[in-house]
Coordinates of all heavy atoms in Angstrom, one line a residue:
F28 N 23.7 -5.0 198.2 CA 23.1 -5.8 197.1 C 21.7 -5.3 196.8 O 21.0 -4.8 197.6 CB 23.1 -7.3 197.5 CG 24.4 -7.9 197.6 CD1 25.0 -8.0 198.9 CD2 25.1 -8.4 196.5 CE1 26.3 -8.6 199.0 CE2 26.3 -9.0 196.6 CZ 26.9 -9.1 197.9
G29 N 21.3 -5.5 195.5 CA 19.9 -5.1 195.1 C 19.8 -3.7 194.7 O 20.7 -2.8 194.8
S30 N 18.6 -3.3 194.3 CA 18.3 -2.0 193.8 C 17.8 -1.2 195.0 O 18.2 -1.4 196.1 CB 17.3 -2.1 192.7 OG 17.0 -0.8 192.1
A31 N 16.9 -0.2 194.7 CA 16.4 0.7 195.8 C 15.0 1.2 195.5 O 14.6 1.1 194.3 CB 17.4 1.9 195.9
K32 N 14.4 1.6 196.5 CA 13.1 2.3 196.3 C 13.3 3.8 196.1 O 14.1 4.4 196.9 CB 12.2 2.0 197.6 CG 10.9 2.8 197.6 CD 10.0 2.4 198.7 CE 10.5 2.8 200.0 NZ 9.6 2.5 201.2
F33 N 12.7 4.4 195.2 CA 12.9 5.8 194.9 C 11.6 6.5 195.3 O 10.5 6.2 194.8 CB 13.1 6.0 193.3 CG 13.6 7.3 192.9 CD1 14.3 7.4 191.7 CD2 13.5 8.5 193.6 CE1 14.8 8.6 191.2 CE2 14.0 9.7 193.2 CZ 14.6 9.7 191.9
E34 N 11.7 7.5 196.1 CA 10.5 8.3 196.6 C 10.8 9.8 196.4 O 11.9 10.3 196.5 CB 10.3 8.0 198.1 CG 10.0 6.6 198.5 CD 10.0 6.4 200.0 OE1 11.1 6.3 200.5 OE2 8.9 6.3 200.6
V35 N 9.7 10.5 196.1 CA 9.7 11.9 196.0 C 8.5 12.5 196.6 O 7.4 11.9 196.6 CB 9.7 12.3 194.5 CG1 9.7 13.9 194.3 CG2 11.0 11.8 193.8
G36 N 8.6 13.7 197.3 CA 7.4 14.3 197.8 C 7.7 15.7 198.3 O 8.9 16.2 198.3
P37 N 6.7 16.5 198.7 CA 6.9 17.9 199.1 C 7.7 18.0 200.4 O 8.3 19.0 200.6 CB 5.5 18.4 199.3 CG 4.5 17.3 199.0 CD 5.3 16.1 198.6
D38 N 7.7 16.9 201.2 CA 8.5 17.0 202.5 C 8.7 15.5 202.9 O 8.2 14.6 202.3 CB 7.7 17.8 203.6 CG 6.3 17.3 203.8 OD1 6.2 16.1 204.2 OD2 5.4 18.1 203.6
I39 N 9.5 15.4 204.0 CA 9.9 14.1 204.4 C 8.7 13.2 204.8 O 8.7 12.0 204.6 CB 10.8 14.2 205.7 CG1 12.2 14.8 205.3 CG2 11.0 12.9 206.4 CD1 13.0 13.8 204.5
N40 N 7.6 13.8 205.3 CA 6.5 13.1 205.7 C 5.4 12.8 204.6 O 4.4 12.2 204.9 CB 5.8 13.8 206.9 CG 6.7 14.0 208.1 OD1 7.4 13.0 208.5 ND2 6.7 15.1 208.7
S41 N 5.7 13.2 203.4 CA 4.7 13.1 202.3 C 5.4 12.5 201.1 O 5.0 12.9 199.9 CB 4.1 14.4 202.0 OG 3.6 15.1 203.1
L42 N 6.3 11.5 201.3 CA 7.0 10.9 200.1 C 6.1 9.9 199.4 O 5.3 9.2 200.0 CB 8.2 10.2 200.6 CG 9.3 11.2 201.2 CD1 10.5 10.3 201.7 CD2 9.8 12.2 200.2
I43 N 6.2 9.9 198.1 CA 5.4 9.0 197.2 C 6.4 8.0 196.6 O 7.4 8.4 196.0 CB 4.7 9.7 196.1 CG1 3.6 10.6 196.7 CG2 4.0 8.8 195.1 CD1 3.0 11.5 195.7
D44 N 6.1 6.7 196.7 CA 6.9 5.6 196.1 C 6.7 5.7 194.6 O 5.6 5.5 194.1 CB 6.5 4.3 196.7 CG 7.4 3.1 196.3 OD1 8.2 3.3 195.3 OD2 7.3 2.1 196.9
L45 N 7.8 5.8 193.8 CA 7.6 5.9 192.4 C 7.4 4.5 191.7 O 7.0 4.4 190.6 CB 8.9 6.5 191.7 CG 9.3 7.9 192.2 CD1 10.3 8.5 191.3 CD2 8.1 8.8 192.3
G46 N 7.6 3.4 192.5 CA 7.3 2.1 192.0 C 8.5 1.5 191.2 O 9.6 1.8 191.4
A47 N 8.1 0.7 190.2 CA 9.1 -0.1 189.4 C 10.0 0.8 188.6 O 9.5 1.7 187.8 CB 8.4 -1.1 188.5
M48 N 11.3 0.6 188.7 CA 12.3 1.4 188.0 C 13.5 0.5 187.7 O 13.8 -0.5 188.3 CB 12.7 2.6 188.9 CG 11.6 3.5 189.2 SD 12.2 5.0 190.1 CE 13.0 5.9 188.8
N49 N 14.3 1.0 186.7 CA 15.6 0.5 186.4 C 16.7 1.5 186.7 O 16.4 2.7 186.6 CB 15.7 0.1 184.9 CG 15.0 -1.3 184.7 OD1 14.8 -2.1 185.6 ND2 14.7 -1.6 183.4
S50 N 17.9 1.0 186.9 CA 19.1 1.9 186.8 C 19.0 3.1 187.8 O 19.3 4.2 187.4 CB 19.4 2.4 185.4 OG 19.4 1.3 184.5
I51 N 18.7 2.8 189.1 CA 18.7 3.9 190.1 C 20.1 4.2 190.5 O 20.8 3.3 190.9 CB 17.8 3.5 191.3 CG1 16.3 3.3 190.8 CG2 17.9 4.5 192.4 CD1 15.4 2.8 191.9
V52 N 20.4 5.5 190.5 CA 21.8 6.0 190.8 C 21.7 7.2 191.6 O 20.9 8.1 191.4 CB 22.5 6.3 189.4 CG1 23.9 6.9 189.7 CG2 22.6 5.1 188.5
F53 N 22.6 7.3 192.6 CA 22.9 8.5 193.4 C 24.3 9.1 192.9 O 25.2 8.3 192.8 CB 22.9 8.3 194.9 CG 23.5 9.4 195.7 CD1 22.7 10.6 195.9 CD2 24.8 9.4 196.2 CE1 23.2 11.6 196.6 CE2 25.3 10.4 196.9 CZ 24.5 11.6 197.1
E54 N 24.4 10.4 192.8 CA 25.6 11.0 192.3 C 25.8 12.3 193.0 O 24.9 13.1 193.2 CB 25.6 11.2 190.8 CG 26.9 11.9 190.3 CD 26.8 12.1 188.8 OE1 25.7 12.5 188.3 OE2 27.8 12.1 188.1
E55 N 27.0 12.5 193.5 CA 27.4 13.8 194.1 C 28.5 14.4 193.3 O 29.5 13.7 192.9 CB 27.9 13.6 195.5 CG 28.4 14.9 196.2 CD 29.1 14.6 197.5 OE1 29.6 13.4 197.7 OE2 29.3 15.5 198.3
T56 N 28.5 15.7 193.0 CA 29.5 16.4 192.3 C 29.8 17.8 192.9 O 29.0 18.3 193.6 CB 29.2 16.6 190.8 OG1 28.0 17.4 190.7 CG2 28.9 15.2 190.1
W57 N 31.0 18.3 192.5 CA 31.4 19.7 192.9 C 32.5 20.2 192.0 O 33.1 19.4 191.2 CB 31.8 19.8 194.3 CG 33.0 19.0 194.7 CD1 34.3 19.2 194.4 CD2 33.0 17.9 195.6 NE1 35.1 18.3 194.9 CE2 34.4 17.5 195.7 CE3 32.0 17.2 196.3 CZ2 34.8 16.4 196.5 CZ3 32.4 16.1 197.0 CH2 33.8 15.7 197.1

């Protein structure tokens, strides 16, 4: 249930929280 926090950074230890967002989705394809 609920949305998610989206983070991006140069490495695992330097992630930045992007803050307020809508429609967060993960997708895998091949």
Side-chain angles (χ1 to χ4, degrees):
F28 293 95
S30 186
K32 176 173 67 174
F33 195 159
E34 298 171 283
V35 175
D38 54 61
I39 289 289
N40 298 315
S41 305
L42 296 176
I43 296 172
D44 186 346
L45 304 191
M48 300 185 71
N49 280 344
S50 305
I51 296 174
V52 176
F53 168 77
E54 180 183 34
E55 176 192 20
T56 63
W57 61 71

